[in-house]
Amino acid sequence: MRLSAKGEYGVRAMVHLALHYRDGPIPLSKIAVDENISRQYLEQIFLSLRRSGLISSVRGVKGGYSLASPPGEIFLGDIIRVLDGPITPVNCLSKEIREEELPSCGRGERCLARSVWEKLRDHINQLLDNISLQDMIECKIDQM
Amino acid sequence: MRLSAKGEYGVRAMVHLALHYRDGPIPLSKIAVDENISRQYLEQIFLSLRRSGLISSVRGVKGGYSLASPPGEIFLGDIIRVLDGPITPVNCLSKEIREEELPSCGRGERCLARSVWEKLRDHINQLLDNISLQDMIECKIDQM
DNA sequence: AAAAACCCTACTAAATTAATAAGGTATTTA
DNA sequence: TAAATACCTTATTAATTTAGTAGGGTTTTT
């Protein structure tokens, strides 16, 4: 039950952008240094985030990245799903996997564990989909 | 945010034992076949579960494994922590890691993401520590 | 024109996870 | 008491995933 480094880096980088929202684009190299993340690895992460529409970029000197929407409209679930794929405790719950590819547990609806995994999945998603970057920079998490 | 196969197999096997609680010891080979898990891999899993005191074993012909406590007293969190280690979304929250070994994020209390990971960790643990094997075999999950 | 900064693919290395192998030990039953 | 059953254990390998590097490109500003 661990988040990947990619997801963790992504969230930290997005918080960084949130803190500088309206300061104009922030160069990736600055974020990489401040957050202690390899520049080239962070480029991969930002490539995904940009393609998914969560951030936008400006090229050239004085360019950089900025949030595509206000911090209050971007949720942790969005970020993590883009970087790590669907948030699900076991593969067989993921809708993106087609029936044929299902792991060989072959138990279908008979699986007593299934409803637990579904509940766990829904819990995690609901939590992450209700925490915005704004909540984070305002330190509202503890009161949630 | 995915459970390992080990954790998943472990839970399924424990549910199996719960369904046969009071039937006397169930041979591992039977569980392996019924749950479609490699016998030798399941042996490793049961070794951990036994050493942690969640199950007990009887050797020899007519031997096998059984739950060490009633199904109502064994919780999913117990099983998963034994097999996968502490349930924590990011390493830096795990108490089992000493300060010196902390990953190099080097941000300590300044980390805005930290309280989110803590909240997520607590949520997941609380959920898993409140679902017993008894709940599962009685299909009470959906009403929780 | 040069510098700054984004853009992108491919590859490699590291770590983790999953599984297999191979043999040992204890207990029951014919 | 011998054979069969089934647990016990460590070591090794295979597979997969994750993390990170390399190396080049393009765009824009000064």
Side-chain angles (χ1 to χ4, degrees), chain A residues 8 11 14 23 26 30 37 39-40 44 50 54 56 59 66 69 76 80 84 95 99 106-107 111 126 131 135 140 142:
Chain A
E8 190 190 336
V11 169
M14 289 293 276
D23 289 358
I26 312 293
K30 173 157 176 41
I37 301 168
R39 197 194 93 255
Q40 289 178 303
Q44 284 179 45
R50 185 182 55 79
L54 291 176
S56 54
R59 283 187 161 198
S66 43
S69 333
L76 292 197
I80 293 172
D84 287 348
K95 301 232 173 84
E99 286 298 319
R107 355 185 55 234
C111 182
Q126 208 208 13
I131 299 177
D135 295 327
K140 285 192 176 166
D142 294 324

Side-chain angles (χ1 to χ4, degrees), chain B residues 76-100:
Chain B
L76 291 198
D78 305 327
I79 301 169
I80 292 171
R81 275 187 297 269
V82 163
L83 297 174
D84 287 348
I87 301 167
T88 177
V90 294
N91 273 324
C92 64
L93 296 184
S94 176
K95 301 231 173 84
E96 308 200 353
I97 293 184
R98 283 169 301 150
E99 285 299 321
E100 315 110 56

Side-chain angles (χ1 to χ4, degrees), chain A residues 41-136:
Chain A
Y41 196 32
L42 193 58
E43 281 189 346
Q44 284 179 45
I45 292 169
F46 272 22
L47 185 64
S48 301
L49 291 171
R50 185 182 55 79
R51 283 178 173 164
S52 75
L54 291 176
I55 61 179
S56 54
S57 60
V58 176
R59 283 187 161 198
V61 175
K62 297 271 180 183
Y65 290 92
S66 43
L67 296 184
S69 333
E73 292 172 20
I74 298 176
F75 296 88
L76 292 197
D78 304 328
I79 300 169
I80 293 172
R81 274 187 298 269
V82 163
L83 296 174
D84 287 348
I87 301 167
T88 177
V90 294
N91 273 324
C92 63
L93 295 184
S94 175
K95 301 232 173 84
E96 307 200 354
I97 293 185
R98 284 169 300 149
E99 286 298 319
E100 316 109 57
E101 299 169 25
L102 276 177
S104 55
C105 95
R107 355 185 55 234
E109 290 308 314
R110 290 253 187 95
C111 182
L112 282 175
R114 194 182 175 86
S115 55
V116 170
W117 308 143
E118 286 172 348
K119 176 148 295 240
L120 181 57
R121 175 199 59 190
D122 294 345
H123 250 72
I124 297 173
N125 276 279
Q126 208 208 13
L127 182 72
L128 294 175
D129 285 335
N130 277 289
I131 299 177
S132 70
L133 293 174
Q134 186 70 33
D135 295 327
M136 290 182 72

Side-chain angles (χ1 to χ4, degrees), chain B residues 112-130:
Chain B
L112 282 177
R114 194 181 176 86
S115 55
V116 170
W117 307 143
E118 286 172 347
K119 175 147 296 237
L120 181 57
R121 176 198 60 190
D122 295 343
H123 250 71
I124 296 174
N125 277 278
Q126 208 206 14
L127 183 71
L128 293 176
D129 284 336
N130 277 290

Side-chain angles (χ1 to χ4, degrees), chain B residues 6 28 40-55 57 65 82-83:
Chain B
K6 209 165 180 172
L28 181 144
Q40 288 178 305
Y41 196 34
L42 193 59
E43 281 188 346
Q44 284 180 44
I45 291 170
F46 272 23
L47 184 66
S48 300
L49 292 172
R50 184 180 59 77
R51 282 180 173 162
S52 77
L54 291 177
I55 61 179
S57 60
Y65 291 93
V82 163
L83 297 174

